[in-house]
Amino acid sequence: MRRTIKKYLSESREQKEVIDGKIISKDIFGRATVQTATGTFKAVDLRGRGTTGVKINNTAQNQNEFAILAGNQERNIIQPTYYDLPNNNFNFNLIVVDTCNYRIQLLNKNGTFISSFGSESIFGMIRGIAATDKDNIYISEQYPNYKVYQYDSNGNRKKELDANGGIYWPLGICFRNDYIFIANGEYIEKFDADGNYIKSYNFSCEYPSSYLYDVAIDSNSNYIVSYFQNNIVRKYDSQGNLIFTLGTQSQYDEGSNDDGKFWSPRGVAVDSQDNIYICDAFNCRIQKFDNSGNFVLKFGSYGNKSGQFNIPCYIRIDSGNNLYISDFLNNRIQVFSSSGSFIKSIGTQGNGTNQFNMPMGIAIL
Amino acid sequence: MIIVDDNNYATNKTFTVNTIFNGITEKNIYINSGVAVILEGICQGNVYLSKNSYCEVDGIVEGDFIYGEGTFEFYGLINGEIRKN
């Protein structure tokens, strides 16, 4: 059960802070333990004490108010009652695969940690992620199972996806136009939003090792796929006909850092104008192309300062055309504008809240 | 940034920068923290990953692959055991 809870200091009746959290337990007196990004609090209903002005989702509640008291304090509890908010009010909208912490982190786009699920006993080497809504999260796992799973945001595995030819090498996943698309070896597998298999598209190319790393779908249902071992990215129409190739095919160890060329292109994404953004992983930069494939700009270099990368891995774009990029070996998510201006960095190395251990896939709601 | 290393090593080899390795190591490979190695050559010993490291095996590992707190992808061949520790 998820709830969005806003924190007030009841003493002054003045709003001091707004936080998101979830109730993880309730005792027999109706007191709730609330887990938030900053710790665990006791939540009690102060309605009977005359506390007013309490709001949930900016809407005044006539009953079922919460006040959360810092430091596990407990106050007079009169007629404790609880307000159950629908799941879609649980305010996460950024989902990150935290690969070597074996967990999925749920955050808001400011980078505030909301919740997480998963452990080493549950996940192997997890990679890509997409979400159709807050309770349909698709996760690809490489070793040891090579599967794609559907989870809810409470961490319950709902099902395992299967395609006609089998899921055998799943990596990037994207959600677009009510469909889920999964890079699976040389194939893109298409599923509906509930995870029901629809069709496989064979995108094998004329070169050896044409495994796909990621997939993006533009507004015309064209496919943009990255051939990370051939140093090229291709755009195909919805029927699988080649429209253009970005980069120049070369062996894996012969990449180029010229504009418009790549060294192991990995994550791909499109913005609202169908511009294409590509994680040029071994060049530690992002390249942007227009929807005709013309080079527009590049940004980033090797390093760990703001705006630098150590293997940019996946990229996803929100409705405001902000770019969220997993900076794999710097253990952070970096956010940029569509012109490549650095906006902020989310996370540091570690296994606590707001920390990552080699983040990979990103999904944005 | 990544470099290409075509050398052969008769002793253990520790990678401290991102590397595409095309050579042969007769002993073990160690990958330092914060480093990615694309192993396109041959390791005749074991491969050991440090925390916060990545190894993509496109070549051959004749010994064991010990991933610890790192992560990996296999496109090549591991003749030995794949284990965490």
Side-chain angles (χ1 to χ4, degrees):
Chain A
M1 181 181 298
R2 304 283 189 184
R3 307 156 195 248
T4 296
I5 298 168
K6 297 194 173 185
K7 177 184 178 182
Y8 293 80
L9 291 186
S10 58
E11 290 85 354
S12 64
R13 298 183 183 179
E14 176 187 0
Q15 182 178 348
K16 295 293 186 185
E17 184 184 0
V18 178
I19 60 172
D20 290 308
K22 67 175 181 179
I23 292 177
I24 56 178
S25 66
K26 284 195 295 188
D27 65 22
I28 60 173
F29 304 108
R31 295 171 298 197
T33 299
V34 180
Q35 182 183 17
T36 73
T38 55
T40 300
F41 299 88
K42 290 289 186 183
V44 298
D45 185 341
L46 298 179
R47 177 163 57 97
R49 300 181 64 230
T51 303
T52 58
V54 175
K55 297 178 180 179
I56 299 177
N57 281 348
N58 292 319
T59 302
Q61 306 295 312
N62 294 324
Q63 58 182 354
N64 305 319
E65 304 95 333
F66 278 108
I68 302 173
L69 307 179
N72 288 326
Q73 299 175 66
E74 295 176 9
R75 302 296 178 89
N76 296 329
I77 303 168
I78 302 172
Q79 297 178 330
T81 51
Y82 295 87
Y83 185 81
D84 294 343
L85 291 168
N87 281 350
N88 60 8
N89 284 331
F90 191 54
N91 193 28
F92 68 85
N93 44 27
L94 174 63
I95 311 172
V96 178
V97 172
D98 190 5
T99 297
C100 284
N101 284 325
Y102 301 93
R103 65 183 178 182
I104 304 301
Q105 292 215 49
L106 311 177
L107 308 101
N108 66 32
K109 286 194 286 188
N110 291 325
T112 302
F113 171 83
I114 305 295
S115 182
S116 68
F117 63 85
S119 67
E120 195 170 350
S121 63
I122 294 173
F123 289 131
M125 298 297 168
I126 44 179
R127 292 292 184 261
I129 194 163
T132 63
D133 57 50
K134 293 184 186 301
D135 272 326
N136 280 300
I137 300 171
Y138 296 90
I139 303 162
S140 67
E141 181 190 61
Q142 284 272 304
Y143 179 88
N145 297 311
Y146 299 90
K147 302 287 187 184
V148 175
Y149 306 108
Q150 181 191 41
Y151 275 81
D152 67 24
S153 59
N154 290 313
N156 300 306
R157 183 177 294 182
K158 298 164 74 173
K159 68 177 174 183
E160 176 186 315
L161 275 60
D162 197 10
N164 272 2
I167 299 289
Y168 64 97
W169 206 267
L171 285 169
I173 311 176
C174 80
F175 175 59
R176 184 71 190 258
N177 304 335
D178 294 327
Y179 296 104
I180 290 287
F181 300 88
I182 300 170
N184 178 36
E186 296 166 327
Y187 292 84
I188 297 298
E189 312 291 355
K190 183 177 181 179
F191 296 81
D192 68 19
D194 293 322
N196 300 306
Y197 173 75
I198 296 176
K199 190 174 180 180
S200 297
Y201 298 85
N202 185 344
F203 286 116
S204 59
C205 67
E206 62 273 39
Y207 309 117
S209 302
S210 56
Y211 275 20
L212 308 171
Y213 200 89
D214 198 15
V215 55
I217 310 295
D218 72 11
S219 63
N220 293 312
S221 299
N222 298 314
Y223 294 79
I224 295 95
V225 295
S226 53
Y227 296 88
F228 70 111
Q229 293 176 315
N230 284 298
N231 297 325
I232 58 173
V233 172
R234 282 183 164 170
K235 182 173 180 175
Y236 296 90
D237 68 18
S238 59
Q239 302 305 310
N241 302 305
L242 179 64
I243 299 175
F244 58 70
T245 299
L246 302 176
T248 302
Q249 194 277 336
S250 58
Q251 296 299 310
Y252 202 15
D253 56 352
E254 297 172 353
S256 167
N257 64 359
D258 293 343
D259 292 352
K261 296 187 178 180
F262 308 104
W263 200 345
S264 195
R266 298 200 171 210
V268 293
V270 294
D271 66 14
S272 60
Q273 306 300 311
D274 287 341
N275 294 306
I276 300 167
Y277 300 80
I278 299 165
C279 292
D280 189 4
F282 294 169
N283 284 321
C284 294
R285 65 182 181 180
I286 307 300
Q287 293 198 66
K288 176 180 179 180
F289 300 82
D290 67 19
N291 60 15
S292 298
N294 300 304
F295 174 81
V296 176
L297 59 82
K298 62 184 176 183
F299 59 91
S301 60
Y302 172 74
N304 58 14
K305 297 177 181 174
S306 296
Q308 294 185 314
F309 299 102
N310 191 357
I311 313 292
C313 203
Y314 282 96
I315 178 170
R316 292 296 182 262
I317 301 174
D318 70 10
S319 56
N321 285 336
N322 297 304
L323 318 178
Y324 291 73
I325 299 163
S326 53
D327 188 6
F328 181 50
L329 290 172
N330 281 329
N331 302 292
R332 61 188 179 183
I333 305 299
Q334 293 201 75
V335 186
F336 296 84
S337 72
S338 58
S339 60
S341 298
F342 173 79
I343 296 174
K344 64 187 168 191
S345 178
I346 299 170
T348 57
Q349 183 178 4
N351 59 10
T353 57
N354 285 333
Q355 292 187 317
F356 300 108
N357 194 359
M358 307 177 79
M360 296 191 87
I362 298 171
I364 296 173
L365 289 170
Chain B
M1 183 201 73
I2 198 161
I3 65 167
V4 178
D5 184 347
D6 296 324
N7 295 313
N8 299 322
Y9 298 93
T11 58
N12 292 336
K13 170 62 179 173
T14 299
F15 289 97
T16 59
V17 297
N18 297 339
T19 304
I20 294 177
F21 177 60
N22 286 316
I24 299 171
T25 62
E26 296 179 16
K27 302 292 184 182
N28 298 331
I29 283 177
Y30 298 87
I31 304 176
N32 276 6
S33 180
V35 172
V37 170
I38 312 302
L39 202 169
E40 296 206 308
I42 299 170
C43 173
Q44 295 178 336
N46 299 333
V47 174
Y48 295 88
L49 273 64
S50 299
K51 183 176 182 177
N52 194 43
S53 68
Y54 173 69
C55 185
E56 197 169 289
V57 178
D58 296 321
I60 299 170
V61 177
E62 295 185 351
D64 294 344
F65 188 93
I66 302 96
Y67 57 89
E69 294 185 58
T71 190
F72 56 87
E73 285 168 21
F74 295 140
Y75 299 88
L77 180 65
I78 310 290
N79 281 332
E81 184 183 0
I82 301 165
R83 53 190 168 89
K84 184 173 177 65
N85 296 302

